[in-house]
Amino acid sequence: GVEANLRWLRAHYPNLLRVKIGDVRDPQVLARIVPNCGAIYHFAAQTAVTTSVVDPEHDFDVNARGTLRLLEAIRACELPPMLLYTSTNKVYGGLDDVALQRNVRRYEPLDPGVRARGISEARPLDFHTPYGCSKGTADQYVLDYARGYGLPASVFRMSCIYGPHQCGTEDQGWVAHFALRALEGERISIYGDGMQVRDLLFVEDLVEALLLAREQIEELAGQAFNIGGGPAHAASLLDVIEQLERLHGPIAVDFAD
């Protein structure tokens, strides 16, 4: 969906947008672009866990090596621009030690502190899947370059983002994927019982946080932040399907292991 969204942006903001198509792994492209930036929001990535399992070398090359090359390009600048790196909640692994209880249509943490506040940034990292390893590697490089070289860089460890223009697939953007399947009258496949809970954040709220980070980068440099909707906005897969059915009507759902 990136190309379609780019066409939309060009049509609606023709005087505000300049686009250079390049590869985050290409040092020559970065050397031309980075010195002209006042702020860099690093969204370039291989984004699917499933793809990372099939081709972990490509996943590493884009996510880890690409980020390192971007950091080197920033470090070479006389006045390094701000960097905000979008990491992932996958850096915390499976959270297997977090005890859960079943509550009607969802699982919830037994620990009242976790129920109230979610997972802390103080939690030890535990990379799972090649995707988690590559994004986590980049995450740590950004924080270390902020500490070691004084770069104005910070990390957002993000959960499930949703909102307009998201072209969701089974691999990523699951809220949009469910909505699109419902609109097209197609079945939705759920792996497990559907009571697994995901933290949800509306994209416009994320953008507010990104802009705030730019304003406060001197204070935030070298720190990582878990970015999500918080426990009050977490939902199980069944919750989301129920909401879609209220808006659209019955949805056919298949369950699998």
Side-chain angles (χ1 to χ4, degrees):
V2 173
E3 295 86 356
N5 286 342
L6 179 55
R7 286 194 296 271
W8 187 91
L9 285 167
R10 280 175 160 155
H12 285 77
Y13 303 100
N15 300 320
L16 295 177
L17 192 67
R18 289 199 305 162
V19 179
K20 168 70 177 179
I21 306 297
D23 192 319
V24 73
R25 297 169 292 178
D26 187 336
Q28 293 179 332
V29 169
L30 296 173
R32 289 196 300 270
I33 292 175
V34 168
N36 300 312
C37 294
I40 296 173
Y41 294 100
H42 181 12
F43 304 123
Q46 189 299 108
T47 58
V49 172
T50 46
T51 301
S52 80
V53 174
V54 174
D55 192 350
E57 189 168 350
H58 172 74
D59 175 80
F60 175 88
D61 207 35
V62 174
N63 293 349
R65 194 189 310 279
T67 300
L68 180 59
R69 286 185 171 161
L70 175 59
L71 286 165
E72 281 293 279
I74 294 172
R75 185 165 75 95
C77 294
E78 186 175 345
L79 291 174
M82 178 214 86
L83 172 66
L84 196 291
Y85 175 65
T86 52
S87 185
T88 172
N89 55 17
K90 302 295 186 295
V91 299
Y92 296 114
L95 306 177
D96 296 326
D97 62 305
V98 178
L100 302 175
Q101 61 185 1
R102 181 172 172 172
N103 184 6
V104 189
R105 296 170 61 84
R106 60 163 61 191
Y107 296 107
E108 293 183 346
L110 279 171
D111 186 315
V114 177
R115 274 205 310 278
R117 293 182 297 275
I119 299 299
S120 164
E121 291 88 350
R123 183 180 179 85
L125 303 182
D126 184 19
F127 304 160
H128 280 204
T129 77
Y131 173 79
C133 290
S134 65
K135 292 290 285 186
T137 297
D139 175 320
Q140 293 299 286
Y141 264 102
V142 171
L143 296 178
D144 193 63
Y145 267 58
R147 289 188 295 257
Y149 299 114
L151 298 191
S154 183
V155 169
F156 275 13
R157 294 173 181 156
M158 304 198 304
S159 56
C160 300
I161 314 300
Y162 74 98
H165 299 282
Q166 187 178 31
C167 302
T169 68
E170 196 170 47
D171 289 325
Q172 58 174 349
W174 67 273
V175 176
H177 172 63
F178 280 12
L180 291 168
R181 299 284 287 188
L183 288 169
E184 293 163 2
E186 298 181 356
R187 305 181 75 86
I188 292 174
S189 296
I190 288 182
Y191 300 98
D193 56 17
M195 290 190 289
Q196 57 266 46
V197 170
R198 297 291 178 264
D199 179 291
L200 299 174
L201 181 65
F202 186 53
V203 65
E204 292 181 11
D205 295 325
L206 170 62
V207 170
E208 285 191 29
L210 291 167
L211 295 174
L212 185 62
R214 178 177 180 175
E215 295 173 9
Q216 304 290 338
I217 191 59
E218 289 187 10
E219 184 179 347
L220 306 185
Q223 299 182 69
F225 300 91
N226 295 341
I227 302 293
H233 297 100
S236 72
L237 275 61
L238 294 180
D239 290 335
V240 172
I241 288 176
E242 183 179 55
Q243 174 70 8
L244 289 171
E245 288 186 323
R246 283 198 292 269
L247 295 167
H248 183 68
I251 298 171
V253 179
D254 296 321
F255 292 88
D257 292 338

